[in-house]
Amino acid sequence: MDTPRPGWQPPLFWRAAQLLARLVVALFARLEVSGDVPAHLRRGPLILAANHISPFDPIVLGAACRARGVSPRFMATGGLFRTPGLGALMRHAGHLRVDRGSTAVRQALDDAAVAVAAGSVVLVYPEGRIGLDPGMWPERGKTGTARLAMACDAPVVPVAQWGSHEVLPYRAPRGMLRALARALVRRPVIRVRFGAPLHLHDLSPAAPGAARRGTDRIIDEITDTLVPLRPDEPDRPRHVDPGRPVDTSRVHRRPTSA
């Protein structure tokens, strides 16, 4: 009988950074984490698909994932990897570079597929950017997350977050110090919820439109997971960031249950 090979192991540095993230979040906000990641999926292979509402999101998600015993590899913008010092730390932690708007985007998807196949948990923002929906609901997603799930036959756990936009503004570092000072005093509540695993077994990667249908399912699940986190803000957020633009070109039709 073959002995199963261990999956990818998160470096000690990254696990320590997640602990630091919990301390940073606790300084500026009150973190509430609900839902869970099934025990058999916490070490992968798994895709976490999260909504994106603020530059503070990676810190929040790093902290929330630690609370659930998960150390994901983030798919992050190439600009972070080009930053002196930070780029080396990102690579050492096992995160995956995404050069948006270039021909190298395809390479990012291939790298993510290799990582998931090796047993990693990979965290993806299916929207591909900080969402600009007028109501701050998840936008119409890019198809990369669904294509990754179908290529690896890996489950997708939707992750919804709400409140991080009250800590860091859209245009950070512009206005960052004032926003952090306000958060330090007010300590807003940040809620993160892990939804039920989603499988795309019934979709064939070769079928026309499969990636789009899978993407819509993922965004629908994130939206459903987000609904209970903002029950008193069903249409528009109470906290309005004046520096955040609005773009209606990628509005996603929410499920009727929302």
Side-chain angles (χ1 to χ4, degrees), residues 132-185:
L132 302 180
D133 177 87
M136 293 187 67
W137 289 98
E139 292 184 320
R140 187 170 188 261
K142 301 289 189 177
T143 60
T145 304
R147 287 188 283 123
L148 175 62
M150 290 188 292
C152 302
D153 194 25
V156 179
V157 167
V159 185
Q161 57 181 328
W162 187 247
S164 60
H165 59 296
E166 298 189 43
V167 177
L168 275 187
Y170 175 84
R171 297 191 184 279
R174 185 186 305 174
M176 181 174 69
L177 294 181
R178 179 181 297 179
L180 288 177
R182 181 177 61 243
L184 191 62
V185 173

Side-chain angles (χ1 to χ4, degrees), residues 56-129:
F56 199 52
D57 292 348
I59 299 175
V60 169
L61 291 174
C65 285
R66 180 177 176 85
R68 291 298 180 262
V70 180
S71 293
R73 302 171 71 175
F74 283 70
M75 294 192 73
T77 180
L80 295 176
F81 289 85
R82 291 189 293 270
T83 303
L86 178 60
L89 293 176
M90 294 281 288
R91 284 186 288 272
H92 179 64
H95 301 310
L96 303 165
R97 176 172 175 165
V98 182
D99 289 300
R100 298 190 182 99
S102 74
T103 56
V105 168
R106 177 66 199 182
Q107 182 61 48
L109 188 61
D110 292 342
D111 291 344
V114 170
V116 173
S120 296
V121 178
V122 172
L123 190 147
V124 184
Y125 297 113
E127 297 163 278
R129 66 178 184 181

Side-chain angles (χ1 to χ4, degrees), residues 9-79:
Q9 297 298 313
L12 178 61
F13 163 75
W14 173 221
R15 285 179 282 151
Q18 285 186 272
L19 177 59
L20 178 60
R22 291 201 70 175
L23 298 175
V24 171
V25 173
L27 181 64
F28 295 104
R30 291 163 288 165
L31 179 63
E32 297 179 357
V33 182
S34 58
D36 206 350
V37 177
H40 68 283
L41 295 178
R42 290 175 189 166
R43 296 188 181 278
L46 176 66
I47 300 166
L48 299 177
N51 62 323
H52 201 0
I53 60 175
S54 164
F56 199 52
D57 292 348
I59 299 175
V60 169
L61 291 174
C65 285
R66 180 177 176 85
R68 291 298 180 262
V70 180
S71 293
R73 302 171 71 175
F74 283 70
M75 294 192 73
T77 180

